[in-house]
């Protein structure tokens, strides 16, 4: 049989090669059978010959025995990097979505062979890079008696910037060498579909160390150079996911022991693993170089002075040991957004947590020998040391929740030596760690800078306080003397030394003689007086190159000019006057990457009253306290913000009206249930004919809010705002609402109990039970179908996970929220089980009093009518997402509310009431066509005769 070079064979032969690889990935039996068929083909050649030609010199072919290996040993990697491949990863310049280069390997099957230490492997290799969207072509293979036909055609949209290979071959566990053959698909530069065939050669060690954890190799085309599917050699580099052996942790601890820590650090005891701690630092770190950073001794990289660094965890162990990779960039967004694995700026590292000093000690090795090919990358020079810890005390000048150092253990005269580099974390607001506390250092200074206002001017006005801390977060705009404006945000960080959580709660408990207890949270807040709160803020201003801060440029104001300016501030907030006065600090960066702090900034803000009937805006200023001759001096900046509280304050009447409607609705529900109880007491013969499912639905409709704690209906991000507007009336009426809900539940439950007892004791109970079962089966079928449709709509609209950011125009719903809304729809249609039961019973008994079914229907439908009015009346005044949080009556979390549903549900509810009215006057089957009525009447006569 011919073993001519691969390029000399026809495309049909290449197709048989791809097909054989695909069959192996399904079952070993089909693979063996297909190889036999190929060997019998007079025009083909065997896969064995291909493997012998390209791979036998690396890992000799062996005969498999079919015994599968434990999945934990499957070779794999992700987030790798490659060079080349441009000809098979089409890049569409018109595409707005691009993906950085990455490569991953996933093993689908691993079996033993007759050769010791050699395993047979089936894997999938995926290359990504370039444009994300493009046309996808599907390869469908059909086998007929006349031969094999391969059909290609457009199917749907698929990432163009991706090439996928299904591979098969052998892996030598002892040497770590792996050779795989297979076929795949990609796209040419013109966007044409490519049918690819390739050989992959990798070096993958099963039990790796810091120097052998690097996966290197090549991907080569098996098509001839003149073939349209041919591509140049691709070099691959990644970090292995195999088991890891720590060999340098002792050296890391030894180097750390020579360092003296200047501050206390938080212990690791409060966290389950070291990795869980490191994963919270995904935003990366800012590097701070020595002040005399003008020589080549400043940076660990030749000619490259990075400003940011990110951590990515590769392996974790139970003993608080980690295997990491560090990537260094010049853009802060690169620290937390995915970027390709650049070998020239990557370190591989390992280390352990020092329990005694509460710090992480690491050894790092830069990647070498990557200039010509990634296949020869190594990590041999492990002379870099790092330490990282979590400061126990945070303050105005030290806001970073994690800090550390980088240094070289080489001799200063050696090549590669650099001076010590400090780094600090780039943290989001409230990204603190348990055990950390905040220490105020500017309180006395703030008292001198800001004088208290005359209380007579604020008499009768109410300002945000400890009951409404969420109102102390705000967005604003600032304007300089040149009338240039820029947007910013002001986020509350701590109240006292207690951290403020984004959900509106205070996290942490402190002990001090001057404390104020926060209602509903149990937390304590340090205060210098009953009406003064120690607060700290994080202020962020949007990137604006044209916005001038005196003689300091926009580049100097930000560590990364694309991310804006950050100001740390702390001071006092006066609950009685709504005045916020703080001292702020900003970082100023020089040309050599060093930074200094300007803490001569005074921030003043006056909050508008929350109970004002007139529109008042938030006002304030940011002032430099330096001399005009100082470089860091800037002219006063005006702070302003349209106040959402003033926009909502006139809607106090709406909130009060909704509270009243909730109470009225529950009262009417109790009255209608009581009238039904009176009706069945006067007419005991109708009790068995009441639908048990209908009563169960109504009972659960009142019981579930009680079980879930009805306060949750009122509890939202703006609950404190509503309480302020309503003068605390809401809090008092919660008790009344719970009592009324309990009464309504007990009345419905009593009806259910009476019906159940009568059904068990009645002479005609058997026929009624059969009819009830039919009605229940039909209702449950409808409920299930409706639930599936609702689930499909939810996942098609919102997907399977919560988006990281949500706009104000569209509210994101969880599955639980949509499930509760669907349950509300079921309760709205509470008459459906009774209507179906009446049809099967075909009786004209007045089972339900008109007050009950008509009155309860109106109680269920009125919220929809009110929601239609409310959405028209109030929606244009404020953002929907903010406003919906204050809904009390017709709350979207308890039913389906929208323009469409506010029409469908009332029409459906009224239709059900009319149908029930007709049934109780003319018979249960009166709503059916005559043919079905005659059938039911015949069935009824037959049962009576029997």
């Amino acid at each position: 049989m011919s073993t001519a070079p691969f390029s000399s064979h026809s495309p049909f032969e290449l197709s048989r090669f791809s097909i054989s690889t695909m069959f192996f990935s399904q079952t070993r039996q089909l693979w063996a059978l297909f190889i036999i068929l190929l060997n019998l083909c007079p025009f083909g050649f065997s896969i064995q010959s291909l493997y012998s030609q390209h791979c036998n010199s690396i890992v000799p072919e062996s005969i498999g025995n079919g015994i599968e290996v434990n999945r934990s040993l499957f070779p794999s990697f992700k987030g790798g990097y490659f060079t080349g491949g441009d000809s098979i990863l089409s890049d569409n310049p018109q595409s707005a979505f691009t993906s950085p280069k990455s490569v991953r390997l996933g093993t689908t099957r691993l079996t033993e062979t007759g050769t010791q230490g050699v395993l047979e492997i089936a894997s999938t290799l995926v290359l990504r890079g370039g444009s994300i969207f493009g046309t996808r072509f599907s390869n469908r293979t059909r086998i007929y008696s006349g031969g094999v036909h391969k059909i290609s055609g457009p199917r749907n949209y698929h990432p163009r910037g991706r090439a996928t290979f299904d591979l098969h071959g052998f892996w030598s566990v002892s040497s770590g060498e792996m050779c795989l053959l297979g076929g795949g698909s990609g796209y040419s530069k013109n966007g044409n579909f490519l049918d690819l065939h390739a050989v992959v050669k990798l070096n993958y060690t099963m039990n790796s160390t810091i120097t052998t954890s690097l996966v290197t190799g090549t991907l080569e085309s098996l098509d001839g150079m003149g073939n349209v599917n041919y591509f140049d050699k691709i070099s691959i580099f990644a970090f292995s996911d195999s088991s890891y052996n720590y060999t340098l942790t002792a050296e890391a601890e030894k180097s750390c022991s020579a360092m003296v820590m200047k501050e206390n650090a938080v212990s690791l005891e409060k966290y389950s693993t070291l990795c869980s701690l490191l994963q919270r630092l995904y935003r990366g770190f800012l590097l701070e170089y020595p002040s005399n950073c003008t020589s080549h001794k400043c940076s660990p990289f030749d000619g490259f002075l990075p400003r940011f660094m990110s951590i990515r965890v590769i392996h974790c162990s139970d003993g608080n040991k980690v295997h990491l990779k560090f990537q260094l960039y010049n853009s802060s967004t690169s620290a937390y957004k995915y970027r390709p694995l650049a070998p020239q700026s990557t370190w591989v590292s390992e280390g352990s947590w020092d329990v005694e000093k509460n710090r992480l000690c690491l050894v790092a090795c830069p990647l070498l020998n990557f200039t010509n090919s990634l296949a020869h990358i190594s990590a041999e020079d492990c002379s870099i040391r790092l330490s990282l810890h979590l400061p126990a005390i945070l303050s105005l000048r030290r806001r970073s929740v994690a800090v550390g150092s980088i240094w070289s253990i080489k001799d200063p005269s050696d090549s590669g030596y650099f001076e010590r580099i400090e780094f600090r974390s780039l943290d989001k607001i409230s990204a603190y760690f348990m055990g950390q506390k905040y220490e105020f250092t500017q309180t006395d200074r703030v008292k001198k800078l800001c004088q208290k206002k005359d209380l007579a001017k604020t008499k009768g006005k109410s300002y945000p306080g400890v009951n409404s801390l969420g109102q102390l977060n705000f967005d604003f705009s600032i304007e300089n003397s040149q009338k240039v404006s820029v947007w910013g945000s002001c986020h509350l960080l701590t109240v006292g030394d207690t951290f403020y959580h984004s959900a509106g709660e205070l996290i942490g408990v402190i002990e001090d003689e001057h404390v104020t207890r926060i209602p509903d949270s149990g937390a304590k807040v340090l205060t210098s007086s009953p009406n003064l709160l120690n607060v700290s803020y994080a202020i962020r201003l949007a990137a604006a190159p044209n916005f001038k801060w005196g003689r300091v440029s926009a580049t100097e104001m930000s560590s990364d000019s694309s991310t804006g300016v950050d100001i740390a501030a702390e001071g006092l907030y006066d609950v009685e006057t709504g005045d916020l006065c703080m001292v702020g600090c900003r970082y100023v960066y020089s040309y050599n990457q060093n930074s200094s702090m300007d803490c001569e900034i005074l921030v003043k803000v006056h909050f508008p009253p929350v109970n004002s009937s007139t529109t008042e805006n938030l006002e304030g200023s940011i002032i430099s306290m330096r001399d005009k001759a100082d470089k860091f001096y800037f002219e006063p900046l005006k702070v302003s913000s349209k106040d959402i509280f003033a926009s909502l304050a006139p809607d106090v009447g709406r909130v009060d009206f909704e509270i009243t409607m909730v109470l009225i609705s529950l009262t009417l529900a109790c009255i209608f249930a009581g009238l039904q109880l009176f009706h069945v007491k006067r007419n005991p013969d109708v009790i068995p004919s009441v639908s048990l499912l209908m009563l169960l639905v109504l009972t659960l409709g009142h019981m579930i809010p009680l079980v879930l704690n009805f306060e949750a209906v009122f509890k939202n991000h703006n609950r404190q705002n509503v309480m302020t507007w309503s003068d605390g009336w809401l809090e008092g009426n919660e008790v009344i609402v719970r009592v009324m809900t309990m009464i309504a539940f007990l009345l419905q439950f009593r009806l259910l109990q009476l019906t159940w007892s009568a059904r068990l004791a009645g002479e005609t109970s058997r026929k009624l039970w059969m009819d009830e079962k039919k009605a229940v089966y039909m209702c449950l079928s409808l409920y299930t179908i409706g639930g599936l449709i609702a689930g499909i709509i939810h996942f098609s609209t919102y997907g399977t996970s919560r988006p990281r950011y949500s706009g104000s125009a569209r509210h994101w719903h969880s599955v639980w929220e949509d499930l509760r809304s669907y349950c509300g729809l079921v309760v709205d249609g509470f008459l459906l089980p009774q209507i179906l039961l009446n049809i099967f019973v075909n009786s004209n008994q007045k089972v339900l009093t008109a007050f009950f079914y008509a009155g309860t229907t109106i109680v269920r439908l009125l919220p929809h009518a009110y929601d239609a009015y409310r959405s028209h009346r109030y929606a244009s005044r404020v953002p929907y997402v903010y406003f919906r949080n204050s809904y009390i009556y017709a709350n979207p979390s308890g039913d389906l509310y929208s323009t469409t549903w506010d029409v469908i549900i009332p029409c459906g509810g009224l239709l059900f009431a009319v149908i029930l009215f007709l049934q109780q006057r003319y018979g249960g089957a009166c709503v059916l066509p005559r043919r079905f009525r005659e059938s039911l009447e015949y069935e009824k006569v037959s049962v009576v005769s029997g």
Side-chain angles (χ1 to χ4, degrees):
M1 187 168 294
S2 174
T3 59
F6 197 90
S7 58
S8 66
H9 291 275
S10 67
F12 178 71
E13 294 167 340
L14 303 185
S15 298
R16 287 205 311 276
F17 170 72
S18 296
I19 295 170
S20 64
T21 306
M22 177 190 68
F23 270 91
F24 170 78
S25 64
Q26 301 298 321
T27 61
R28 180 179 177 80
Q29 291 78 8
L30 288 177
W31 163 257
L33 176 63
F34 202 69
I35 288 179
I36 294 174
L37 293 176
L38 284 175
N39 286 330
L40 295 176
C41 179
F43 304 102
F45 55 91
S46 67
I47 298 301
Q48 287 92 330
S49 65
L50 277 176
Y51 189 89
S52 300
Q53 179 182 348
H54 295 280
C55 293
N56 252 3
S57 60
I58 301 172
V59 183
E61 182 181 5
S62 302
I63 299 176
N65 55 24
I67 302 176
E68 293 195 8
V69 178
N70 191 299
R71 295 188 66 86
S72 63
L73 301 178
F74 280 23
S76 65
F77 58 78
K78 56 183 178 294
Y81 183 69
F82 65 93
T83 57
D86 295 338
S87 61
I88 61 174
L89 297 171
S90 175
D91 189 12
N92 182 5
Q94 298 179 349
S95 175
F97 303 95
T98 58
S99 173
K101 283 188 174 182
S102 68
V103 58
R104 63 179 175 87
L105 176 76
T107 299
T108 57
R109 184 179 175 87
L110 189 66
T111 58
E112 295 180 359
T113 67
T115 304
Q116 183 69 25
V118 176
L119 301 177
E120 190 173 13
I121 181 174
S123 299
T124 300
L125 184 75
V126 179
L127 306 176
R128 289 182 180 272
S131 304
I132 294 180
F133 298 107
T135 305
R136 176 181 179 180
F137 287 79
S138 61
N139 296 328
R140 292 164 287 172
T141 303
R142 296 182 180 177
I143 301 177
Y144 299 100
S145 57
V148 179
H149 298 269
K150 193 171 186 179
I151 306 170
S152 297
R155 186 175 181 181
N156 52 32
Y157 285 99
H158 182 67
R160 268 186 177 180
R162 184 172 75 175
T164 304
F165 296 87
D166 293 320
L167 306 167
H168 162 249
F170 296 91
W171 175 35
S172 173
V173 177
S174 57
S175 66
E177 293 182 315
M178 181 188 304
C179 194
L180 307 169
L181 293 170
S185 61
Y187 293 89
S188 68
K189 292 182 178 181
N190 297 326
N192 298 322
F193 176 77
L194 299 176
D195 188 10
L196 307 173
H197 310 88
V199 55
V200 177
K201 303 172 183 178
L202 296 175
N203 192 341
Y204 190 102
T205 305
M206 177 175 286
N207 296 309
S208 61
T209 63
I210 193 169
T211 55
T212 62
S213 61
L214 312 181
V215 178
T216 58
T218 59
L219 172 67
E220 301 178 52
S221 176
L222 292 178
D223 297 289
M225 185 172 294
N227 194 302
V228 67
N229 298 314
Y230 173 82
F231 58 90
D232 293 330
K233 181 187 293 187
I234 296 174
S235 296
I236 296 173
F237 163 67
F239 290 102
S240 169
D241 285 342
S242 66
S243 58
Y244 186 81
N245 296 321
Y246 296 90
T247 58
L248 299 178
T249 54
E251 293 187 26
E253 293 173 0
K254 180 181 178 182
S255 297
C256 264
S257 62
M259 288 187 57
V260 178
M261 290 187 61
K262 300 179 181 180
E263 60 184 351
N264 295 328
V266 174
S267 69
L268 193 62
E269 296 176 356
K270 299 181 182 294
Y271 300 91
S272 56
T273 64
L274 176 59
C275 284
S276 64
L277 182 149
L278 294 175
Q279 287 168 357
R280 291 188 55 187
L281 299 172
Y282 69 93
R283 291 186 66 87
F285 302 87
L286 175 69
L287 302 179
E288 296 182 334
Y289 294 90
S291 57
N292 58 345
C293 189
T294 57
S295 66
H296 66 281
K297 299 294 184 180
C298 290
S299 173
F301 302 100
D302 217 2
F304 173 51
L305 207 63
R307 303 180 72 176
F308 301 96
M309 178 178 70
S310 68
I311 289 180
R312 294 294 182 269
V313 177
I314 304 175
H315 291 98
C316 269
S317 72
D318 297 335
N320 290 327
K321 296 181 180 180
V322 288
H323 178 210
L324 309 170
K325 66 177 178 182
F326 290 93
Q327 292 181 262
L328 296 98
Y329 307 95
N330 263 336
S331 170
S332 63
T333 54
S334 300
Y336 61 91
K337 290 183 179 180
Y338 180 80
R339 289 294 183 270
L341 181 60
Q344 65 272 16
S345 58
T346 300
W347 297 339
V348 58
S349 173
E350 74 169 53
S352 61
W353 184 264
D354 185 345
V355 178
E356 183 180 348
K357 296 292 182 65
N358 294 323
R359 60 185 174 184
L360 177 63
C361 299
L362 297 164
V363 168
C365 314
L367 302 181
L368 306 173
N369 303 324
F370 50 79
T371 304
N372 298 324
S373 172
L374 298 180
H376 304 295
I377 284 182
S378 62
E380 303 295 338
D381 180 13
C382 298
S383 60
I384 299 175
R385 300 292 185 266
L386 297 95
S387 70
L388 181 147
H389 68 275
L390 311 177
I393 303 296
L394 305 181
S395 63
L396 180 65
R397 291 178 175 271
R398 289 183 65 85
R399 288 283 182 91
S400 298
V401 298
V403 296
S405 302
I406 308 172
W407 70 97
S408 172
I409 62 171
K410 286 186 175 182
D411 189 90
S413 60
D414 292 344
S415 173
Y417 170 83
F418 59 91
E419 297 179 8
R420 184 181 300 273
I421 304 171
E422 305 294 329
F423 62 85
R424 55 185 176 86
S425 58
L426 298 167
D427 309 302
K428 291 181 65 178
I429 304 304
S430 300
Y432 56 89
F433 290 88
M434 294 181 64
Q436 290 182 324
K437 290 187 177 183
Y438 190 89
E439 183 180 78
F440 286 86
T441 59
Q442 303 293 319
T443 302
D444 293 336
R445 187 183 182 193
V446 169
K447 287 181 179 180
K448 295 177 182 179
L449 292 171
C450 301
Q451 300 297 322
K452 188 176 179 67
K453 283 185 178 180
D454 185 3
L455 293 180
K457 296 181 180 180
T458 60
K459 187 177 181 180
K461 296 182 179 180
S462 177
Y463 296 92
V466 292
N467 289 331
S468 51
L469 293 175
Q471 297 178 5
L472 298 181
N473 291 314
F474 58 93
D475 295 330
F476 61 91
S477 67
I478 61 172
E479 184 180 271
N480 60 15
S481 58
Q482 288 77 35
K483 302 299 181 181
V484 179
S485 298
V486 63
W487 285 98
S489 60
C490 204
H491 295 277
L492 183 63
L493 184 61
T494 64
V495 182
D497 67 353
T498 307
F499 285 89
Y500 174 79
H501 192 267
S502 59
E505 300 174 351
L506 289 171
I507 308 301
V509 178
I510 61 175
E511 298 295 338
D512 194 273
E513 57 179 346
H514 302 294
V515 297
T516 298
R517 185 174 294 278
I518 298 300
D520 303 326
S521 71
K524 298 176 180 180
V525 180
L526 182 65
T527 57
S528 57
S529 71
N531 296 312
L532 286 178
L533 300 180
N534 290 102
V535 293
S536 65
Y537 275 86
I539 303 173
R540 162 149 290 197
L541 305 177
N546 296 328
F547 192 88
K548 301 298 182 182
W549 290 77
R551 282 174 286 175
V552 178
S553 66
T555 304
E556 291 178 298
M557 279 294 298
S558 174
S559 59
D560 185 354
S561 59
S562 64
T563 61
V565 177
D566 290 316
I567 298 177
E570 71 172 49
L572 295 172
Y573 172 67
D574 193 330
V575 178
E576 291 182 313
T577 63
D579 290 327
L580 174 65
C581 183
M582 300 184 292
V583 170
C585 293
R586 58 171 177 165
Y587 277 98
V588 181
Y589 300 86
S590 59
Y591 72 94
N592 60 358
Q593 315 297 325
N594 299 314
S595 63
S596 56
M597 293 195 78
D598 173 19
C599 290
E600 296 298 318
I601 300 174
L602 181 62
V603 180
K604 291 184 177 181
V605 174
H606 175 67
F607 288 91
V610 296
N611 62 344
S612 174
S613 58
T614 60
T615 301
E616 296 185 34
N617 296 331
L618 180 146
E619 297 178 347
S621 61
I622 300 178
I623 303 170
S624 175
M625 295 184 287
R626 294 180 178 272
D627 295 332
K628 289 187 177 181
D630 196 297
K631 177 185 177 181
F632 293 155
Y633 171 83
F634 57 88
E635 295 181 357
L637 304 174
K638 180 182 177 181
V639 175
S640 62
S641 176
K642 290 186 176 181
D643 180 45
I644 195 171
F645 312 131
S647 301
L648 294 178
D651 300 327
V652 174
R654 178 194 64 81
V655 177
D656 292 343
F657 176 75
E658 291 191 7
I659 298 171
T660 304
M661 288 301 298
V662 170
L663 296 175
I664 292 175
S665 297
L666 289 172
T667 302
L668 290 176
C670 294
I671 293 174
F672 296 144
L675 291 174
Q676 179 64 22
L677 282 171
F678 181 72
H679 174 72
V680 298
K681 185 176 181 180
R682 291 182 57 185
N683 304 279
D685 55 314
V686 303
I687 299 179
S689 299
V690 180
S691 170
L692 289 171
L693 182 57
M694 178 195 69
L695 296 177
L696 181 62
V697 168
L698 290 172
T699 303
L700 291 176
H702 292 296
M703 185 189 74
I704 291 176
L706 292 173
V707 173
L708 298 179
N709 186 354
F710 197 85
E711 184 181 359
V713 176
F714 295 89
K715 189 174 182 179
N716 51 62
H717 295 300
N718 297 312
R719 178 177 183 274
Q720 301 294 349
N721 303 351
V722 177
M723 288 181 60
T724 303
W725 301 332
S726 299
D727 297 326
W729 189 35
L730 172 61
E731 189 173 32
N733 279 278
E734 286 184 13
V735 178
I736 301 176
V737 169
R738 292 179 190 174
V739 172
M740 297 299 296
T741 306
M742 177 63 74
I743 294 173
F745 162 71
L746 293 176
L747 291 174
Q748 295 291 351
F749 185 77
R750 176 59 176 165
L751 277 172
L752 180 62
Q753 182 188 25
L754 290 175
T755 305
W756 179 271
S757 301
R759 187 74 64 81
L760 292 177
E763 295 179 359
T764 59
S765 60
R766 182 177 179 183
K767 174 64 171 60
L768 283 172
W769 279 117
M770 293 177 61
D771 293 334
E772 181 79 39
K773 286 182 179 179
K774 294 178 184 178
V776 169
Y777 290 152
M778 186 170 291
C779 286
L780 291 181
S781 300
L782 293 174
Y783 294 159
T784 302
I785 293 173
L788 291 175
I789 293 174
I792 292 172
I793 294 175
H794 170 85
F795 289 112
S796 63
T797 304
Y798 302 106
T800 57
S801 60
R802 183 167 187 143
R804 180 169 296 181
Y805 302 104
S806 58
S808 60
R810 179 182 177 187
H811 177 66
W812 186 88
H813 293 262
S814 66
V815 177
W816 171 241
E817 286 178 314
D818 281 350
L819 178 60
R820 285 187 299 174
S821 298
Y822 179 69
C823 290
L825 176 64
V826 172
V827 180
D828 288 338
F830 71 98
L831 288 178
L832 177 62
Q834 185 66 57
I835 292 172
L836 294 177
L837 180 61
N838 290 346
I839 291 175
F840 293 122
V841 174
N842 196 16
S843 170
N844 61 353
Q845 284 183 307
K846 293 184 178 180
V847 177
L848 303 179
T849 177
F851 289 105
F852 178 74
Y853 69 82
T856 305
T857 298
I858 292 174
V859 168
R860 294 297 309 177
L861 302 187
L862 271 179
H864 294 276
Y866 173 73
D867 180 70
Y869 164 76
R870 179 177 59 190
S871 61
H872 176 74
R873 172 68 174 80
Y874 299 103
S876 61
R877 300 187 57 183
V878 289
Y880 170 72
V881 172
Y882 185 95
F883 192 56
R884 77 186 297 279
N885 289 330
S886 67
Y887 289 165
I888 298 172
Y889 184 65
N891 193 314
S893 64
D895 208 335
L896 295 174
Y897 292 100
S898 67
T899 303
T900 304
W901 284 114
D902 288 342
V903 175
I904 294 176
I905 293 177
C907 291
L910 292 175
L911 177 63
F912 283 173
V914 171
I915 291 174
L916 190 64
F917 170 79
L918 295 174
Q919 286 181 327
Q920 295 192 160
R921 179 177 286 267
Y922 302 108
C926 70
V927 295
L928 298 178
R930 182 179 298 275
R931 182 177 57 181
F932 293 103
R933 290 205 303 268
E934 293 175 352
S935 175
L936 287 173
E937 289 173 359
Y938 175 78
E939 182 181 350
K940 181 177 179 180
V941 170
S942 301
V943 172
V944 173
S945 301

